[in-house]
Structures are given as structure tokens and as C-alpha cells.
Amino acid sequence: MKSQSRTRVMVTVAMLGAVSYILAFFEFQLPIFPSFLKLDVSDIPSLIAAFAFGPLAGIAVEFFKNALQLLSTTTAGIGELANFCIGSAFVATAGLIYKRKHTRSGALISCIVGAIVMAIVGALFNYFVLLALYEKFMPIDQIIAMAAAFFPAIKTKLDLVLWSIIPFNLVKGFVVILITMFIYKPLSPILKGDHVAQNDGM
Amino acid sequence: MQIPIGSYVPGDSAVHRADPRAKLLVTFFLVAALFTLKSWYLIVALCTVMMLVCVIARINVRTFLRMLKPVLWIGAFTLIVNSFSFVGGFHFILPGFMRGMFFVVRLFVVMGSTALITLTTSPVALTDGIAIMMRPLARLRVPVEDVAMMISIGIRFIPTIAEEIDRIILAQTARGATFNEGSLLKRARAWIPVLIPLFVGLFRRADALARSMDARCYTGIGRTHLRELKLKLSDVALMVVSGLLFVLIVGGVIR
């Protein structure tokens, strides 16, 4: 590994945060899921950072994406907090495992475990934080009664989370893994800093 | 493609000129108070204050409402869920409707007041304000200065990177790539030939910037600012008054 200077890591993480912020604008709607659960690929830069510089860098990229989004928040920061916690769970897990097992299959395993952890953390966060906040605004029992009219399987608060948040996060994880696996290999030499720095227009 | 950074609308009103720290603190008190209060009088009073600030800041009503659009659905949903019974027959409940309205107004003021800060404060001023307020965390070895620097880099490079993404998408489209067609799998894969050149360019750019920062001996300690934030008397007064009101509301003296 060549010069992994502190400044270099810092600047790269900041820029990956900016890319992540931009990618969040290209969101697409998934069939079946409610409209506020939109899929975007903004977790890819943080995953790349977690692979290249370790789990903390991954969390940092998630932090900067959400810090930039906070500048135009429409949910008083709650949406940003949720996105940060859930995204961090994904990339931190993936980064930790990849650190131990530095191979292609290691990367794949780390991503899959990361996606599962993301789904679990997403469910926990929705159950304990978001639903608790929603209760400040609406009676949850009513929502459950309404949801039950469409999906008879939903009977409790927990069911609500299990049947919407977990599948959504798994689909999201799958898409992110798919793309990352394809782009990681061509990028890895650059990430590790082996390349000869070419002159470039700054 | 135009990527918006923050939702700042430039202007020159008392609200725009107020110190970002004062605005952040006042909004924090307001939001915290909203979550504790239960009376209609107070919530209407706070809502009026917020509207008044909007008028002073000369915020376009349309711009303001556009900011609140995502909340609109949640608000409508809340109202419907509250005012109709779904258990044991479908019927309208008046107390439920009133309760729903209360929730909606609360939601409106919480989201509206945070939107108001981002509308009247430039992203850079907001970052500086937050960085100064977080400075005590430096004692706990949190690199506050570095974090502020990194957010500034992010803000600075968003337009540059957005332009690059545009260029790459155009280049790949010229080679026959499609982005908004086909199955989920196909759409996801369409991103691969965009992301690889994007990241390669990004790492080069980051390298160059890091080298030039190192060459100028960047350490992250003792950075100076082109525009220093200075608290005016009016800012201090604003913070003290809102703090007092907050204590009185939470303490239940005003209800």
C-alpha cells in the first residue's frame, strides 16, 4: 500500500459522501412497497469506503451523506437519522468482515451478512424509534387495523415492521451488493493506492 | 442535472441575517416544546410565531409549501386514520378528528420550523454554526474541525461531481446504454458502467486535492475562517427569550 495519508483518506471520504448524496437523488420506486420506502443506490460509496479504508470510513461516508441531506431536511432530521443508522449497520458489518477475509468471496459474504444485519437494525430502529415517534402523531392501533384489512397476517406492531421493513431492506441490500460486486474488482487497485497518480485537472 | 444543495433561498431579512447558532437553538427549543405541550392555545400560538417568521423572512408561500410536500401525505394519512374508525364498522369520530388536527398542526410546525432554517441560512453558514456549537466535543477527541472541513469539501464538490455523472451518463447513452427500462436487475446493472469511471475520476480528484492540502500543511488544527460568525446582541436576546419560554412551557407554567 502506498501513501494512505490522513488527508487523503479524509478528502476521499468527504467526496464519497458527496457522491452518495447525489446518488440518493436517483431513486426508484419498488412495486408493492409503500411510497416512502424508495430504493436508491446511495449506499454504494460508503460500502466502497468500508472496503478500502475500513468500517469507520464507511460509517463516515454515511454520516456525510446524511449531514449534507440535513441541509434541506423535510422531516426535521428524523429521516436522516434513520438512514444513517440503517446504512451504517450495513457498511460497518461488511467492512468488519472484509477486514478479516480480504478476498472476493470474503467481500461477498461480508455484504450478505451486512444486508441481513441492516434488515435487523432497520426493523429494530423502526420498531423502537420511528413507531414511537409516529405515536406522537397518530394512533398505531388504527394503522394496524387498517393494514390488517389488506394483509390479514398483520396483527401487532411487530408484524407491521416484519412484513414491510425487513423485506424492503433485504431487496435494497441485494441491489447494492449486486452493483458493488461488479464494480469493486476494477476499482480495488485504485482504492489501495497502488496506481501511479496521473496528472489530472483539479 | 441540477442537484440542489440545501434549500437556501438568498434574501436580506432580519431572519436571514440572524446568527445560524441562534436560529438552530431557537428551533431546537421550539421543536422540543412542541413534543411536550398538550394545549390548543399554545400550539396555535407557536404556529402563529412560525408564520410570522415566514412573513418577516419574506418566504414565498409556494416555496414553503413545496418543502412540506413530503409531510403532506403523512399529515393527510394521520387525519384520516384518526377521524375514522376501522374497528367494528366504518364511521366518523369527531373527537378523533380534533385529535388528528392537533397532530397535523404539531407536525406542520415541527417540519415547517426546521424547513425555515434551511430556507434562510446558507449551507456554509449552517455548517459553520453547527461546527462551532459542536466544538466542546473536541474535548472528547471528536475531530470537529476536520468534520466541518469535510462537509465543506462535500458542498464544494457536489456540483462538480454531478456534472461528471451527467457527462458519463451521456457518454454511455451515446454508446446505447439505457437507464429507465427493464427489470430491477437490468436497471441496477445499468449503473455499473457509470459508477466505475465515476469512482476512478473521484479517487484521482481526491488524490490531487489531498496532495495540495498536504503541500499547504493542512493539519485541521487552528483553521481560520474568511467570514467569522459573531453573535449580535439581538441573537443573544433571541436565544435567552426562547430558552426562557421553553423552560416555562416544559415546566407547565404556561399552558
Side-chain angles (χ1 to χ4, degrees):
Chain A
M1 279 201 205
K2 223 182 65 179
S3 65
Q4 290 284 30
S5 87
R6 194 182 119 84
T7 323
R8 181 171 177 268
V9 175
M10 207 184 104
V11 171
T12 313
V13 163
M15 286 197 184
L16 283 171
V19 172
S20 197
Y21 174 83
I22 297 169
L23 289 181
F25 281 88
F26 297 89
E27 50 186 12
F28 37 101
Q29 175 90 49
L30 280 178
I32 322 167
F33 290 101
S35 64
F36 57 88
L37 292 178
K38 286 226 176 78
L39 189 82
D40 62 60
V41 289
S42 68
D43 285 326
I44 292 173
S46 33
L47 202 56
I48 299 269
F51 282 168
F53 309 118
L56 273 179
I59 296 176
V61 172
E62 286 287 335
F63 173 81
F64 286 108
K65 170 181 80 176
N66 285 297
L68 291 168
Q69 282 175 345
L70 207 56
L71 297 173
S72 57
T73 181
T74 53
T75 54
I78 296 163
E80 284 76 15
L81 182 68
N83 187 290
F84 172 69
C85 292
I86 294 165
S88 296
F90 181 26
V91 298
T93 314
L96 266 177
I97 296 175
Y98 183 70
K99 223 173 160 180
R100 298 276 150 75
K101 210 167 161 359
H102 230 72
T103 57
R104 197 188 166 93
S105 65
L108 186 64
I109 293 167
S110 72
C111 280
I112 293 171
V113 178
I116 294 168
V117 172
M118 170 167 79
I120 295 169
V121 171
L124 289 176
F125 192 84
N126 272 280
Y127 188 71
F128 287 107
V129 183
L130 292 184
L131 281 185
L133 274 170
Y134 284 142
E135 271 174 321
K136 288 261 171 216
F137 297 107
M138 55 184 92
I140 290 293
D141 310 339
Q142 290 267 27
I143 299 179
I144 293 165
M146 221 166 93
F150 295 102
F151 303 101
I154 296 174
K155 286 187 193 72
T156 60
K157 236 162 82 172
L158 190 67
D159 289 341
L160 198 68
V161 169
L162 288 181
W163 289 101
S164 59
I165 308 298
I166 289 190
F168 171 76
N169 276 322
L170 286 177
V171 172
K172 181 171 158 173
F174 173 72
V175 172
V176 170
I177 292 168
L178 193 76
I179 301 178
T180 309
M181 286 332 287
F182 274 106
I183 64 173
Y184 183 66
K185 199 67 216 165
L187 286 182
S188 55
I190 307 163
L191 294 170
K192 288 168 186 157
D194 299 335
H195 73 303
V196 182
Q198 284 140 31
N199 57 333
D200 36 46
M202 257 301 297
Chain B
M1 191 176 76
Q2 277 293 320
I3 296 284
I5 311 164
S7 31
Y8 180 53
V9 180
D12 187 39
S13 68
V15 186
H16 284 84
R17 280 192 305 266
D19 194 282
R21 286 166 290 179
K23 284 190 259 190
L24 283 165
L25 206 65
V26 171
T27 313
F28 171 76
F29 284 140
L30 181 71
V31 171
L34 276 164
F35 274 102
T36 58
L37 58 79
K38 290 184 178 64
S39 81
W40 266 105
Y41 299 112
L42 270 179
I43 208 158
V44 169
L46 290 181
C47 190
T48 318
V49 170
M50 187 187 78
M51 307 270 222
L52 218 64
V53 175
C54 273
V55 173
I56 297 170
R58 287 194 212 97
I59 296 285
N60 190 330
V61 182
R62 262 214 207 125
T63 323
F64 190 65
L65 290 181
R66 201 182 317 128
M67 286 283 298
L68 295 177
K69 218 165 146 192
V71 193
L72 204 73
W73 294 111
I74 303 176
F77 184 65
T78 308
L79 199 60
I80 294 168
V81 167
N82 273 294
S83 39
F84 295 101
S85 166
F86 297 95
V87 199
F90 183 81
H91 48 85
F92 181 78
I93 332 162
L94 187 67
F97 175 75
M98 290 307 283
R99 190 182 47 193
M101 277 309 285
F102 188 80
F103 289 145
V104 168
V105 176
R106 178 192 268 170
L107 192 70
F108 173 69
V109 183
V110 169
M111 304 306 173
S113 48
T114 43
L116 205 54
I117 295 195
T118 63
L119 281 170
T120 59
T121 320
S122 77
V124 177
L126 208 52
T127 312
D128 282 352
I130 296 171
I132 293 171
M133 290 172 93
M134 293 293 147
R135 221 171 249 171
L137 287 180
R139 294 247 173 105
L140 303 171
R141 307 252 237 122
V142 179
V144 179
E145 291 276 333
D146 283 337
V147 170
M149 180 70 188
M150 287 162 88
I151 294 179
S152 309
I153 292 176
I155 294 173
R156 162 64 187 82
F157 278 95
I158 286 169
T160 320
I161 296 169
E163 207 183 297
E164 188 142 323
I165 293 182
D166 254 356
R167 216 175 16 235
I168 298 169
I169 288 181
L170 277 178
Q172 301 294 16
T173 311
R175 290 172 177 82
T178 50
F179 292 94
N180 291 317
E181 282 168 32
S183 62
L184 185 68
L185 200 74
K186 226 177 148 189
R187 282 194 209 189
R189 288 193 64 164
W191 278 100
I192 296 162
V194 174
L195 290 175
I196 292 174
L198 176 73
F199 282 121
V200 172
L202 179 102
F203 278 98
R204 272 198 206 140
R205 212 187 286 280
D207 238 18
L209 179 61
R211 261 183 284 126
S212 58
M213 278 166 72
D214 276 337
R216 287 164 182 79
C217 304
Y218 172 83
T219 56
I221 304 160
R223 218 152 53 87
T224 54
H225 293 261
L226 182 59
R227 281 175 295 270
E228 291 279 350
L229 288 177
K230 274 204 192 80
L231 280 176
K232 294 183 290 286
L233 192 63
S234 56
D235 296 320
V236 178
L238 202 63
M239 290 196 275
V240 171
V241 170
S242 64
L244 266 174
L245 280 174
F246 172 73
V247 171
L248 291 178
I249 290 173
V250 173
V253 181
I254 313 175
R255 36 174 104 228

